[in-house]
Amino acid sequence: MENLKRIGVLTSGGDAPGMNAAVRAVARTALANGIECIGIRRGWQGLINCDFIQLTRASVGHLLSKGGTILYTARSEEFKTPEGRQKALVTCKMLGLDAVVAIGGDGTFRGALELSRLGVPVVGIPGTIDNDIGCTNYTIGFDSACNTAIECIDKLRDTMQSHERCSVVQVMGRDAGFLALYVGTAVGATAVLVPEHVDDFEKNVIERIRGAKLAGYTHFMVVVAEGAGTAHDVGQRIHDALGIAPTITVIGHIQRGGAPTGRDRETATRMGYYAVMALVEGQGNCVIGTQEGSIVQIPIEDALKMEKHLQMDRYNIMEIMQFGSNHEGEM
Ligand code: ATP
């Protein structure tokens, strides 16, 4: 892109571990290419309010291991209105922003598309713990959130095992089951309930606990994606069907915090780099994604139309691991 002198970077929507690493990579890649980088604070609302800080090589130092986002994040209803976006456009002009890099989820990219229609080139970077963005295999924060949930469940398992109990654990993931299935597989759950596969509770949960009990297991772990119901409801249904009273745990926002894993730091760094390079090469209005291990650019409009489905083979593998022919597993 000719005359690219100054760009803005912002984080928007739900925060995710690794967002800071992406901000650092955007700033350092920009500076290495002779482009100034402005950090817009509090997402799209910050663009409306002209809420910004100058980013330097030093100011984005020591960020790789930091959870959260130093730019803060927000959800802005005002930015969804044409009037709000006009105010954001005024800020872009006032600050002399030639382009904006927006780190967030689908909603953030819808905002990016609207801003690009006003003539400001925008590149999106997928940052959400839910991994629910169609155009990319991977979203920044997913690995860290999974590992946090796994660590919590490993601890829970110790006490469950001692007391020979059933535990129902609710994990995040919004309307998608990627996080729950990944975590459930990694902890060797008795059953995993995901929104994509809630049709037969009896078969997917009750029968599996019964089967585990018959096989001699004395404790049972059920992982529930928040989009598939609450742990309380699932616990009640298990109680009604089997007469056992499960312990209920909602892991909640802990999954959004903490130091990002190596995978999130490394992916965020590459995505941040390629986001700026896309602008340098004149490719605005795209989302950076990963496909088959490589970084790709997808036009925002196309990216927003792409869907991602839970791979049912992974679900089947999770099930098989708990009930192989001889019922020998982690349980
Ligand atoms: P997460 O997946 O973590 O929730 P997200 O980016 O999808 O992240 P949203 O709250 O859906 O989070 O969107 C973030 C912000 O993007 C919104 O608060 C709003 O400011 C902006 N946005 C969302 N949809 C639109 C839209 N259709 N037009 C303009 N701006 C939008």
Side-chain angles (χ1 to χ4, degrees):
M1 199 169 286
E2 277 177 35
N3 298 325
L4 197 61
K5 291 195 174 65
R6 184 185 270 187
I7 63 169
V9 57
L10 58 84
T11 51
S12 158
D15 63 346
M19 277 184 162
N20 278 329
V23 169
R24 169 184 178 271
V26 168
R28 289 198 170 169
T29 308
L31 292 165
N33 283 276
I35 303 162
E36 261 189 84
C37 190
I38 300 288
I40 308 293
R41 300 197 297 186
R42 303 179 175 86
W44 296 123
Q45 192 61 40
L47 207 55
I48 291 172
N49 296 344
C50 198
D51 181 1
F52 71 96
I53 48 169
Q54 182 88 34
L55 298 179
T56 63
R57 274 195 78 79
S59 72
V60 295
H62 308 292
L63 276 190
L64 282 173
S65 60
K66 272 206 178 114
T69 159
I70 56 154
L71 295 179
Y72 306 103
T73 184
R75 301 189 198 270
S76 168
E77 283 307 310
E78 197 179 354
F79 193 77
K80 290 185 181 171
T81 66
E83 296 76 23
R85 291 194 293 274
Q86 277 304 323
K87 289 186 196 166
L89 184 63
V90 170
T91 302
C92 289
K93 288 188 174 152
M94 217 161 69
L95 294 178
L97 298 183
D98 298 313
V100 171
V101 176
I103 306 164
D106 272 338
T108 299
F109 300 157
R110 270 189 283 280
L113 182 63
E114 293 296 341
L115 186 64
S116 72
R117 285 177 174 150
L118 298 178
V120 181
V122 189
V123 175
I125 295 180
T128 164
I129 65 165
D130 306 329
N131 202 21
D132 60 349
I133 296 182
C135 69
T136 182
N137 292 153
Y138 189 75
T139 63
I140 297 166
F142 179 70
D143 190 53
S144 304
C146 285
N147 277 293
T148 298
I150 289 164
E151 200 183 321
C152 292
I153 294 175
D154 283 348
K155 286 179 178 160
L156 256 176
R157 181 187 286 285
D158 290 344
T159 163
M160 260 172 65
Q161 206 156 12
S162 313
H163 287 273
E164 302 181 291
R165 291 197 72 166
C166 176
S167 200
V168 179
V169 183
Q170 183 181 319
V171 298
M172 292 181 113
R174 289 237 293 212
D175 302 327
F178 299 107
L179 202 148
L181 181 55
Y182 190 103
V183 168
T185 303
V187 300
T190 314
V192 179
L193 206 60
V194 290
E196 296 85 348
H197 194 45
V198 281
D199 42 330
D200 195 343
F201 189 82
E202 178 69 23
K203 177 170 170 286
N204 296 333
V205 179
I206 304 300
E207 271 181 27
R208 291 184 63 77
I209 296 175
R210 266 199 204 107
K213 223 173 171 178
L214 278 174
Y217 300 123
T218 56
H219 70 281
F220 319 100
M221 174 68 72
V222 179
V223 174
V224 187
E226 62 183 347
T230 69
H232 285 97
D233 288 347
V234 170
Q236 187 61 51
R237 290 174 78 176
I238 291 172
H239 179 259
D240 294 346
L242 298 169
I244 53 177
T247 60
I248 304 299
T249 305
V250 179
I251 300 183
H253 282 73
I254 287 174
Q255 288 157 102
R256 297 243 284 245
T261 59
R263 181 174 185 187
D264 279 325
R265 298 178 200 194
E266 195 271 345
T267 307
T269 301
R270 276 190 299 138
M271 284 184 169
Y273 168 83
Y274 281 109
V276 175
M277 293 318 289
L279 290 169
V280 169
E281 287 155 15
Q283 307 291 322
N285 307 336
C286 64
V287 173
I288 301 297
T290 59
Q291 283 171 16
E292 290 161 17
S294 298
I295 298 281
V296 292
Q297 296 169 8
I298 308 103
I300 301 180
E301 247 178 307
D302 297 344
L304 285 170
K305 286 183 200 139
M306 292 165 86
E307 291 181 1
K308 191 191 259 182
H309 301 286
L310 196 75
Q311 295 133 309
M312 289 317 288
D313 61 323
R314 292 189 179 209
Y315 190 88
N316 297 336
I317 291 167
M318 176 278 297
E319 289 199 318
I320 287 167
M321 287 306 120
Q322 292 316 308
F323 295 103
S325 54
N326 59 4
H327 294 307
E328 280 173 4
E330 294 92 332
M331 301 300 297

